[in-house]
Amino acid sequence: MRTAISPMLVRLAEERATGVLIRERGTLYLADGQVVHAESPAAPGIDDLLVAAGRLPRAGWEEAVARAGARRTVGRFLVDSGRLADGELEICHLGALFDAAFFALSPSSGPTRFRYGVSHWIGPVRPVPAAVVARESSRRRALLAAIWPYPDIDSAPVVPRAPTADRRIPDRQRGVLSLADGVRTPEAIARALGRPAFHTLIEVRRLAASGLVETPAAPTPPPAPPSPVPLAGHYADPDTALLRRLRDALEESL
């Protein structure tokens, strides 16, 4: 694998391991060394994306999990029951997988561990080579940096910076801008819109580069208290040696 975002992922792919790779910001599920699913608290899951897009009611998703989750065939159940077309499930699943993997593979100082033999309840949909997942995560990170090289905006609440009445703004950015209220982070905006988190980060950074959003300014620290003024009768004792030298110097100059 050319892009070693996670050395452990490289080794697991070479071993053709099956299980779950647990990292600080998400998890990758592997089968025979390929990535078959990914989850991250920073990214909406496939269920959120399907429900937000109107392709599946929340009750329909919950029924699929209840009926097929224990057998780890939720994806197959959605297709066989006619709730989703096969290709539709694959496209949505791949989108959620790459979205979550981007955050799961982000640089971190937290521990990385692997549990062998663990599989996800969604079941097989379309496996992706680990090298492809790593390469795509690197590409996305470089794309974000090229748009706006200040990653702090990815996790902070964003606020509008300037009036937009006379600006032509693409619909996707306008939807993001409408939720930039100084409280929602890009992650919260993605969930509210039912969009992949990475795509929302792209729009947030584009808005920042255009001068349309910013992170709230840090509160101004209170001024430091003034230095206490010595009270009468409490002045420090004068340096008598220094005073004598000054006196002698003045006398010599007269």
Side-chain angles (χ1 to χ4, degrees):
M1 189 182 301
R2 295 176 59 189
T3 306
I5 289 182
S6 169
M8 185 178 289
L9 179 60
V10 175
R11 177 173 60 81
L12 294 169
E14 293 172 348
E15 292 179 2
R16 300 180 61 85
T18 295
V20 58
L21 177 64
I22 304 169
R23 289 172 57 87
E24 185 177 22
R25 299 194 65 193
T27 57
L28 300 178
Y29 289 83
L30 276 65
D32 294 328
Q34 294 189 305
V35 180
V36 293
H37 191 66
E39 293 179 340
S40 171
I46 183 175
D47 55 330
D48 298 319
L49 299 177
L50 287 170
V51 171
R55 294 302 306 130
L56 190 68
R58 177 62 64 178
W61 175 265
E62 293 173 350
E63 180 189 3
V65 174
R67 296 182 60 179
R71 300 193 305 274
R72 291 172 170 74
T73 57
V74 170
R76 192 72 260 156
F77 178 87
L78 290 170
V79 173
D80 291 346
S81 62
R83 288 169 171 80
L84 293 175
D86 208 344
E88 189 175 28
L89 173 65
E90 287 187 8
I91 291 172
C92 191
H93 181 258
L94 284 174
L97 185 155
F98 280 112
D99 196 36
F102 169 76
F103 296 99
L105 293 175
S106 61
S108 69
S109 57
T112 299
R113 58 191 186 276
F114 187 74
R115 294 175 57 193
Y116 285 91
V118 178
S119 58
H120 195 270
W121 42 259
I122 197 169
V125 179
R126 177 173 288 277
V128 183
V132 173
V133 174
R135 185 166 59 247
E136 175 62 13
S137 295
S138 293
R139 187 193 69 84
R140 293 185 177 202
R141 192 154 292 111
L143 178 59
L144 286 177
I147 294 172
W148 182 250
Y150 306 105
D152 289 349
I153 202 168
D154 294 348
S155 56
V158 290
V159 294
R161 184 178 181 182
T164 59
D166 300 329
R167 301 284 296 269
R168 294 186 61 184
I169 304 173
D171 289 341
R172 290 188 65 84
Q173 291 183 21
R174 190 171 295 280
V176 172
L177 190 59
S178 68
L179 296 177
D181 55 4
V183 177
R184 292 184 176 95
T185 62
E187 174 191 337
I189 293 174
R191 292 186 184 279
L193 294 173
R195 298 179 185 173
F198 172 76
H199 295 171
T200 304
L201 290 184
I202 287 285
E203 303 306 339
V204 168
R205 290 213 193 189
R206 284 174 175 164
L207 287 167
S210 300
L212 296 177
V213 300
E214 62 183 355
T215 57
T220 303
S227 301
V229 177
L231 300 177
H234 290 79
Y235 289 100
D237 293 333
D239 187 337
T240 55
L242 176 60
L243 292 176
R244 289 194 190 99
R245 288 197 298 273
L246 290 172
R247 183 198 61 189
D248 295 342
L250 287 172
E251 288 176 349
E252 290 176 1
S253 65
L254 294 178

